[in-house]
Amino acid sequence: MLSEPPKVIIGKPQKEPKTVEVQKGDYKGLYEKCWDLEDYRIYSPGERLVSDFIGAAKPYKTQTVIDWGCGSGRAGYKLYKDHGLNVTLVDFAANCLDENVRKEAEDNENLRFVQLDLTKEIDPEKLEHTSQYGFCTDVLEHIPEEDVDAVIENVLSHSKHVFFQISCIQDHFGAHDAIRGDKDREHLHVCVHDYQWWLRKFVDYGVTIHRSADLKRSCLFYVSAYTGEWFDTVRGYVNVPAETVIENIRHSATLDVPQIRPMETQDLEIMLLAGGPSLSEFEEEIIQNRKDGMKLVTVNGAYNWAMDRGLKPSLQFLIDSRGFNKRFAEQNELTEETKFCISSAADPEVFELLPHDRTWIFHTSLSDEIEPVMKECYGEEYKDYFPVPGGCTVTLRAIVALRMLGFYKIHVYGFDSCIMDDKHHAYDQPENKEDMEKAVTITVAPGSKWEKKFLAAPWMLFQAIDFKRMASRILPDVLLDVKGDGMIAYMIQTAAEMNRAVDLEIDAVEHLEDSEKPPPRAYVRREAS
């Protein structure tokens, strides 16, 4: 039912129907009267829209959701009972809940009721937590227009992603004899507008509109005011100019070095050493595996870590284009056994150090700028050369390259993607000395019982994000045994417990040196541009 955000110029809202002004102080008593009527309880728009919310948000069990203006509570109860969510029901009418919902919400840590006026500033102590999701149906049309902004602010300030359903037509329940009294009341809907009006409201507010739908009689929006503005200042990038990459590719194409190509599947277990801090915890296990004949693959500085322990790698990967990374091939004497898999974009000095009879070239997936150069130097893609897709680090590319070579049973050590015991690597790596200064707090599976925080450098965050994308898209048949207590291992373990692909949500907020807790409001409203 929900569509992609509209790509049209927002027009002027249509002239809204005439409404009857309702005194602001009358609302609490008014709706308590409504909920005393059985025929008012018959209708529950939110209950019918639970499946639409689940389809748009795709929450996983135990994640938190606030049902804003919950009314009878039937929708929130369904989210709790049928979908395993941790639900907070919020309304300002104390008698709104259906009896069975009220009883279920008593002393229940996964379903609770909080009485709040959404037009007023919310006392943080009234809500136990900020929720991952908000569910707000059949609410905004009941709010006087002058209070709508306050309600939206409250909802979006306490729920990261919110599903709104708003009626665009008048109701006629306000004329009911039992609640009309001496008021000249015809309607309970006092803010009636069409889809375009509400669209402009959310656009002006500055939210991200993930999905929306104009149903004429009502409209739906799935939005977020969670800016993730931290991401705007930390972007993935190639660490050398494109011109350098192109020069390196042209050089590698002149070498008498074979390229890796897709190979038949091999039912052979191998181990891959990344450079994360937990690598050292498994030193004895790695040494024993090697003694038992298991093939050993290393990336970057893990090669020298292995050599320092008397281990001769079977294969070493290097992807970085910077010249100083030749140290990964020259700090220890080259063995007569190790083969080398080097990116076509690597610095020429790296190739000078390596025996060409034991060196293979692999190609990373290409930008629009580099693709013509590859065609000129290497020929036709997927015929003359086979690019290795994947993420932003050498470990991610190595995993995909190994699968291309036929290996799918891979034990991975040191693939942490987080800082552990104040260390960013299992060995000294000077270029990463600023990692601690730029570290951020990463939350895996936020708003669920599996929620866990990790400290990570920006590149580690991008590696984790890329890994979760890769896991289901290009590595579905790879059996990865990721060792240790790092963030990647935790993501895999948690996803397995939830019986889902590794597409867990990851949040990042700036690390506070004086506290392990994230800021009380880690997301802020973005000003409309």
Side-chain angles (χ1 to χ4, degrees):
M1 183 177 290
L2 291 177
S3 64
E4 297 289 343
K7 298 179 180 179
V8 297
I9 298 175
I10 303 171
K12 295 181 179 179
Q14 298 176 4
K15 187 176 181 181
E16 60 270 17
K18 180 181 178 181
T19 59
V20 179
E21 183 179 355
V22 179
Q23 291 183 3
K24 195 171 180 179
D26 192 30
Y27 275 107
K28 185 172 179 293
L30 169 64
Y31 283 95
E32 286 178 346
K33 286 183 178 181
C34 290
W35 291 114
D36 280 337
L37 302 174
E38 287 299 322
D39 48 350
Y40 189 72
R41 290 185 176 276
I42 293 175
Y43 304 100
S44 178
E47 186 179 19
R48 299 194 302 271
L49 290 163
V50 164
S51 61
D52 291 88
F53 164 71
I54 295 296
K58 296 180 175 60
Y60 38 83
K61 289 183 179 180
T62 80
Q63 280 197 300
T64 51
V65 58
I66 297 178
D67 186 350
W68 299 97
C70 64
S72 66
R74 295 204 290 272
Y77 181 78
K78 193 170 184 178
L79 291 170
Y80 154 74
K81 200 73 172 178
D82 296 350
H83 298 280
L85 295 172
N86 185 312
V87 179
T88 299
L89 304 167
V90 171
D91 206 288
F92 69 166
N95 62 333
C96 63
L97 296 182
D98 285 354
E99 184 62 18
N100 68 312
V101 179
R102 185 188 63 78
K103 289 183 178 179
E104 187 78 22
E106 292 178 355
D107 299 321
N108 188 335
E109 62 180 13
N110 295 315
L111 180 69
R112 67 197 64 80
F113 174 72
V114 179
Q115 188 175 1
L116 290 173
D117 183 345
L118 300 186
T119 66
K120 309 291 185 184
E121 184 177 354
I122 294 178
D123 182 352
E125 295 184 2
K126 291 289 185 70
L127 294 174
E128 294 183 12
H129 50 68
T130 293
S131 69
Q132 197 66 18
Y133 298 99
F135 185 77
C136 185
T137 62
D138 195 32
V139 173
L140 292 183
E141 66 270 23
H142 291 266
I143 306 298
E145 192 166 319
E146 64 269 22
D147 290 326
V148 164
D149 285 343
V151 173
I152 293 177
E153 171 73 19
N154 278 330
V155 170
L156 292 176
S157 293
H158 294 84
S159 296
K160 294 182 180 179
H161 312 283
V162 184
F163 179 91
F164 288 97
Q165 178 267 345
I166 311 163
S167 176
C168 299
I169 61 173
Q170 287 290 6
D171 78 295
H172 298 288
F173 205 87
H176 196 290
D177 291 340
I179 64 171
R180 184 173 184 177
D182 58 355
K183 300 289 183 182
D184 185 19
R185 180 179 292 116
E186 298 178 4
H187 306 289
L188 294 178
H189 292 181
V190 294
C191 186
V192 179
H193 297 286
D194 65 358
Y195 166 83
Q196 289 291 113
W197 190 92
W198 288 106
L199 176 59
R200 180 173 288 281
K201 173 66 70 175
F202 286 120
V203 169
D204 288 346
Y205 191 85
V207 300
T208 298
I209 302 176
H210 301 294
R211 296 287 188 272
S212 69
D214 181 3
L215 306 180
K216 303 308 178 184
R217 294 173 63 86
S218 65
C219 53
L220 305 179
F221 294 92
Y222 180 54
V223 309
S224 176
Y226 178 63
T227 64
E229 286 184 301
W230 179 87
F231 289 94
D232 293 340
T233 60
V234 185
R235 299 184 183 275
Y237 59 93
V238 177
N239 50 28
V240 298
E243 293 78 9
T244 301
V245 174
I246 291 173
E247 290 178 7
N248 291 352
I249 290 174
R250 291 188 184 280
H251 172 268
S252 67
T254 67
L255 303 176
D256 185 20
V257 176
Q259 305 170 60
I260 69 168
R261 291 173 173 272
M263 305 289 287
E264 292 184 4
T265 298
Q266 304 184 55
D267 194 28
L268 182 69
E269 293 186 35
I270 63 174
M271 55 179 167
L272 171 64
L273 307 190
S278 72
L279 180 62
S280 299
E281 299 175 17
F282 296 90
E283 181 175 337
E284 293 184 6
E285 182 177 321
I286 294 168
I287 292 174
Q288 187 60 51
N289 285 345
R290 194 68 176 120
K291 287 181 179 179
D292 293 341
M294 185 178 291
K295 300 296 183 182
L296 172 63
V297 182
T298 56
V299 300
N300 287 0
Y303 173 87
N304 292 307
W305 183 93
M307 292 290 289
D308 289 342
R309 287 154 181 79
L311 302 175
K312 297 180 180 181
S314 308
L315 182 64
Q316 159 75 343
F317 277 90
L318 180 63
I319 192 174
D320 203 300
S321 298
R322 294 172 293 182
F324 70 85
N325 280 320
K326 65 181 181 179
R327 72 190 190 281
F328 295 140
E330 68 179 357
Q331 286 176 344
N332 278 282
E333 183 178 350
L334 297 181
T335 75
E336 295 180 357
E337 304 171 13
T338 306
K339 297 178 176 64
F340 299 90
C341 199
I342 310 300
S343 166
S344 57
D347 189 275
E349 291 189 38
V350 174
F351 288 100
E352 291 178 8
L353 293 168
L354 302 176
H356 288 191
D357 62 332
R358 288 185 280 120
T359 300
W360 278 263
I361 284 177
F362 75 103
H363 312 284
T364 58
S365 47
L366 313 173
S367 67
D368 293 339
E369 188 176 9
I370 295 175
E371 188 172 0
V373 181
M374 286 296 301
K375 186 173 182 179
E376 172 192 339
C377 295
Y378 283 96
E380 188 176 342
E381 188 177 13
Y382 298 115
K383 180 181 177 182
D384 301 312
Y385 71 92
F386 295 83
V388 176
C392 58
T393 65
V394 63
T395 300
L396 295 175
R397 298 291 177 138
I399 293 172
V400 180
L402 289 170
R403 182 64 188 95
M404 182 183 291
L405 292 171
F407 301 103
Y408 72 99
K409 296 180 179 180
I410 308 174
H411 302 275
V412 190
Y413 298 86
F415 188 30
D416 302 313
S417 215
C418 63
I419 293 169
M420 305 174 72
D421 298 326
D422 295 327
K423 294 180 180 179
H424 46 71
H425 283 80
Y427 42 80
D428 184 45
Q429 191 147 295
E431 64 266 33
N432 292 98
K433 65 181 181 180
E434 296 181 355
D435 281 358
M436 295 302 299
E437 299 174 7
K438 295 181 179 180
V440 295
T441 299
I442 311 297
T443 305
V444 175
S448 77
K449 75 176 183 181
W450 291 282
E451 178 178 299
K452 187 173 181 179
K453 291 178 171 56
F454 295 88
L455 190 62
W459 68 265
M460 298 174 181
L461 168 61
F462 282 104
Q463 178 173 253
I465 293 172
D466 281 348
F467 173 75
K468 77 186 188 80
R469 290 171 179 164
M470 290 170 53
S472 59
R473 296 179 185 179
I474 58 178
L475 298 174
D477 61 344
V478 176
L479 302 179
L480 286 181
D481 175 20
V482 179
K483 308 286 187 175
D485 298 321
M487 179 159 59
I488 300 294
Y490 184 75
M491 289 167 60
I492 295 174
Q493 173 191 344
T494 302
E497 291 181 10
M498 299 188 328
N499 295 316
R500 61 187 286 129
V502 189
D503 59 353
L504 305 181
E505 189 162 352
I506 301 174
D507 272 356
V509 296
E510 293 188 26
H511 178 59
L512 302 180
E513 294 183 356
D514 299 330
S515 173
E516 294 183 356
K517 297 180 180 180
R521 186 174 173 185
Y523 48 98
V524 295
R525 181 165 71 88
R526 232 181 295 179
E527 295 298 330
S529 59

